[in-house]
Amino acid sequence: MHTHSSLLKQMESMGIDRTGTLLVHSSFKSIGEVDGGAETVLDALSDYMKEGLLVLPTHTWSYIDAQNPRFSVMESPSCIGILPELFRRRPGVIRSWHPTHSVAALGADAASFTAGDECWDTPCARGSVYGKLLDREAQIMLLGVDLRRNTFIHGIEEWVDIPGRMTDGHEALYTVTPGGEELAVPSRRHCGLSWSEHFWKVETVLEQGGALSRGRFGDAGVMLCSAVETTRILSAMLRADPDLFSDNEPLNGEDVPEALPKTKRGIPAQLAGKHAEG
């Protein structure tokens, strides 16, 4: 049986930066038997990142839409698993206000990190929390899930303006704030093919390029992605081939593309400071 202590040791062995920013996409069932269950898992993640910022997605895209347009920051449940749903309810955790792609964050600067997400009309705008992950040089922990669940890649697609990813028109969605105020948040949505179902294709490329490393958390396999390096590699690949994720065919051993120019902080120059319009 896995314990709080053993989970912490596994996180340390992966080289996760305790003082940095960690986004966790998760499958609780994949972890196996844990003494204390899901709450122990969240305790371990929170304790390990107590000097940094811990972020879990609390998305509601599966049911917040034109027919059900009101997202309640306090009440609307996450549609992507038990760990995000339990995490968002914990003391000190702050949830962002985007109606379909909110996240919950715990840490000293959680409020500034989550602030303003309702100002953007797409799920992963450069000025949203997903763009802030790049600015903060975050790590993305795929805990028992694969790249098909890595929402950050949708952000990269937005930032390099890959066509056909977003609806042209807006849905009339609303955010109900913790204080009960109702805010209009006209929103474009992901559309077209199931692009994310093809994200697995670049797993080997990211690993060979140093953007992805591996570890374990409980029984679950973990892929740990660098936001900066993932952006560097995939933005180059998508610019060269905007149809990269349009099919489910393997890449047949394609090499990592030539690196994009970097700023002093390591963020690709083409994307550093680039904010989409809200």
Side-chain angles (χ1 to χ4, degrees):
M1 179 181 291
H2 305 290
T3 65
H4 180 273
S5 177
S6 68
L7 295 176
L8 287 176
K9 289 178 181 177
Q10 287 181 307
M11 293 185 73
E12 186 172 14
S13 71
M14 284 185 270
I16 296 172
D17 182 1
R18 293 176 179 269
T19 63
T21 300
L22 180 69
L23 172 70
V24 182
H25 289 279
S26 60
S27 164
F28 173 64
K29 290 181 179 179
S30 71
I31 300 170
E33 192 174 0
V34 178
D35 185 15
E39 296 293 354
T40 295
V41 171
L42 292 175
D43 286 343
L45 292 170
S46 300
D47 289 346
Y48 188 90
M49 294 300 299
K50 63 185 178 183
E51 297 179 32
L53 184 70
L54 176 64
V55 184
L56 271 70
T58 52
H59 298 172
T60 53
W61 47 260
S62 70
Y63 68 93
I64 296 295
D65 54 25
Q67 287 69 49
N68 182 41
R70 284 169 177 78
F71 161 68
S72 169
V73 176
M74 300 302 294
E75 301 298 333
S76 294
S78 170
C79 66
I80 53 173
I82 186 173
L83 292 179
E85 179 60 16
L86 292 174
F87 182 68
R88 75 172 184 87
R89 298 171 178 268
R90 286 192 151 206
V93 172
I94 299 176
R95 190 180 195 182
S96 68
W97 293 4
H98 193 278
T100 61
H101 283 69
S102 66
V103 303
L106 178 66
D109 52 353
S112 60
F113 176 77
T114 55
D117 247 21
E118 71 282 4
C119 298
W120 308 100
D121 71 343
T122 60
C124 306
R126 184 63 180 87
S128 74
V129 292
Y130 284 96
K132 292 176 185 178
L133 290 171
L134 175 58
D135 295 333
R136 297 171 68 96
E137 303 186 12
Q139 293 174 294
I140 300 165
M141 184 181 189
L142 302 174
L143 198 175
V145 298
D146 60 26
L147 288 172
R148 292 175 296 177
R149 300 296 175 263
N150 191 349
T151 306
F152 185 78
I153 298 177
H154 280 305
I156 299 171
E157 291 183 310
E158 281 197 38
W159 309 334
V160 297
D161 198 21
I162 301 301
R165 296 306 195 261
M166 307 300 304
T167 58
D168 292 329
H170 294 73
E171 286 186 328
L173 303 184
Y174 302 87
T175 292
V176 181
T177 73
E181 182 182 2
E182 188 172 287
L183 304 177
V185 187
S187 298
R188 299 167 67 198
R189 299 182 72 99
H190 293 134
C191 68
L193 297 172
S194 298
W195 309 103
S196 61
E197 291 303 304
H198 307 154
F199 288 171
W200 66 269
K201 295 171 58 170
V202 296
E203 181 178 324
T204 299
V205 175
L206 293 178
E207 189 168 17
Q208 291 176 346
L212 184 157
S213 59
R214 299 181 187 273
R216 298 202 71 80
F217 187 93
D219 294 343
V222 170
M223 286 187 273
L224 191 66
C225 300
S226 158
V228 169
E229 292 305 300
T230 298
T231 302
R232 178 179 64 84
I233 293 170
L234 293 189
S235 58
M237 294 180 74
L238 285 164
R239 288 182 190 280
D241 180 11
D243 293 324
L244 174 64
F245 296 125
S246 65
D247 60 49
N248 222 27
E249 295 299 318
L251 294 180
N252 297 318
E254 290 185 20
D255 294 329
V256 177
E258 183 179 353
L260 290 172
K262 299 180 182 180
T263 66
K264 292 181 180 179
R265 295 186 62 218
I267 297 172
Q270 290 92 328
L271 299 177
K274 178 183 176 183
H275 286 192
E277 292 298 323

